[in-house]
């Protein structure tokens, strides 16, 4: 059976608060790991704690923290292993049926090293609960406005981006970039910053405004802009 796969990013550091998670890597460090939905569920349930990958260069390091829709996951250890030495028990701890199944899923150059990555589930993503908040006080609104103003120091982009996302739910990053007259990759970085404040949500395809983001726009008189 083909499993849905999720692309997981290690997000840029955002200033911490009592409702956000401070990451343990530098602000400009971003990498990508691919895990199946089954593995994500297993990590949350405690039945899975390993992943095996063949990489030309080591992509993750101990202490890295991934904030995902499925929760917060920490990389505990990364070791180079002989694929032939992978055991069936380790395979099951990675969500596979057998060691042969693991070896069959390894991708990348045949001469590249294979890494055993030990993962730990830390809990739900605090941004998810934050994004659901709609009963915003004047203090909450002022705090959001202050954070957005700091993001706008070099150029004004936050409110226009929020309005475009609110008025065009499900649009892909490239479509939003075209509407805003921006490059896609820098826009995706900026949308992740808004997500860190609980103002936007990532969908299977595209983005949408979160309940918290919608409440902020409504209470500040800035409705979404449909294009």
């Amino acid at each position: 059976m083909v499993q849905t796969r999720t692309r997981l990013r290690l997000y840029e550091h955002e200033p911490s608060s009592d409702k956000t998670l401070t990451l343990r890597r530098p602000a400009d460090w971003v990498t990508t790991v691919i895990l199946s939905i089954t593995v994500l569920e297993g990590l949350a349930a405690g039945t899975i704690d390993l992943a095996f990958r063949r990489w030309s260069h080591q992509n993750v390091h101990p202490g890295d923290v991934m904030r995902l829709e499925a929760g917060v996951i920490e990389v505990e250890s990364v070791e180079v292993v002989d694929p032939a030495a992978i055991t069936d028990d380790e395979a099951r701890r990675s969500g596979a049926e057998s060691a042969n199944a693991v070896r069959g899923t390894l991708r990348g150059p045949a001469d590249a090293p294979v890494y055993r990555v030990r993962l730990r589930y830390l809990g739900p993503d605090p941004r998810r609960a934050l994004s659901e908040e709609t009963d915003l006080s004047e203090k909450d609104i002022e705090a959001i406005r202050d954070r957005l103003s700091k993001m706008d120091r070099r150029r004004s982009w936050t409110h226009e981006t929020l309005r475009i996302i609110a008025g065009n739910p499900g649009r892909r990053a490239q479509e939003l970039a075209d509407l805003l007259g921006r490059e896609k990759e820098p826009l995706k970085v900026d949308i992740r910053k808004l997500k860190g404040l609980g103002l936007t949500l990532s969908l299977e395809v595209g983005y949408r405004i979160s309940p918290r983001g919608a409440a902020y726009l409504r209470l500040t008189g800035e409705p979404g802009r449909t294009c």
Side-chain angles (χ1 to χ4, degrees):
M1 182 178 72
V2 178
Q3 294 179 339
T4 301
R5 299 195 302 172
T6 299
R7 186 172 295 273
L8 313 178
R9 287 195 177 273
L10 303 187
Y11 291 94
E12 283 92 345
H13 172 88
E14 284 293 324
S16 63
S17 72
D18 59 339
K19 292 182 178 179
T20 59
L21 179 71
T22 301
L23 304 189
R24 304 179 186 179
R25 295 288 291 177
D28 58 354
W29 195 83
V30 182
T31 193
T32 303
V33 179
I34 301 291
L35 296 174
S36 71
I37 295 299
T38 299
V39 170
L40 293 175
E41 293 173 346
L43 284 165
T47 58
I48 290 176
D49 65 351
L50 294 178
F52 292 91
R53 295 292 184 271
R54 178 183 278 132
W55 291 320
S56 297
H57 303 284
Q58 184 174 330
N59 283 355
V60 295
H61 299 80
D64 289 344
V65 176
M66 295 177 277
R67 295 191 301 176
L68 322 170
E69 294 295 328
V72 182
I73 298 171
E74 179 183 19
V75 176
E76 289 195 313
S77 65
V78 184
E79 301 173 278
V80 175
V81 299
D82 180 353
I86 298 173
T87 67
D88 287 340
D89 177 64
E90 289 178 321
R92 286 188 288 270
R93 288 168 57 192
S94 73
E97 294 182 356
S98 67
N100 283 336
V102 170
R103 287 187 281 268
T105 62
L106 295 173
R107 300 290 182 266
D111 60 347
V114 172
Y115 295 88
R116 179 177 59 211
V117 183
R118 185 179 177 86
L119 304 167
R120 182 165 69 101
Y121 181 76
L122 299 182
D125 183 354
R127 296 172 304 172
R128 170 58 70 173
L130 184 64
S131 70
E132 296 297 327
E133 294 182 356
T134 58
D135 187 16
L136 302 181
S137 65
E138 290 186 9
K139 184 177 180 180
D140 292 328
I141 294 172
E142 187 57 36
I144 294 172
R145 184 181 286 117
D146 181 61
R147 291 290 296 276
L148 296 180
S149 294
K150 290 178 180 178
M151 293 180 185
D152 284 337
R153 279 177 179 169
R154 293 187 178 181
R155 57 180 174 79
S156 180
W157 63 269
T158 58
H159 288 80
E160 180 68 3
T161 302
L162 285 172
R163 288 194 294 269
I164 287 290
I165 293 173
N168 300 272
R171 292 286 190 102
R172 297 175 183 270
Q174 185 59 65
E175 294 175 303
L176 295 173
D178 291 342
L179 293 174
L180 289 163
R182 296 189 55 188
E183 295 294 323
K184 181 181 74 171
E185 293 305 318
L187 175 62
K188 288 170 67 176
V189 172
D190 283 344
I191 293 176
R192 289 199 295 273
K193 294 176 183 178
L194 297 174
K195 183 177 180 180
L197 298 180
L199 301 177
T200 64
L201 293 172
S202 299
L203 305 175
E204 186 76 16
V205 175
Y207 306 90
R208 72 174 177 86
I209 201 76
S210 71
R212 176 182 173 89
Y216 173 76
L217 291 178
R218 183 180 67 255
L219 293 171
T220 56
E222 299 190 48
R225 183 180 131 199
T226 304
C227 295

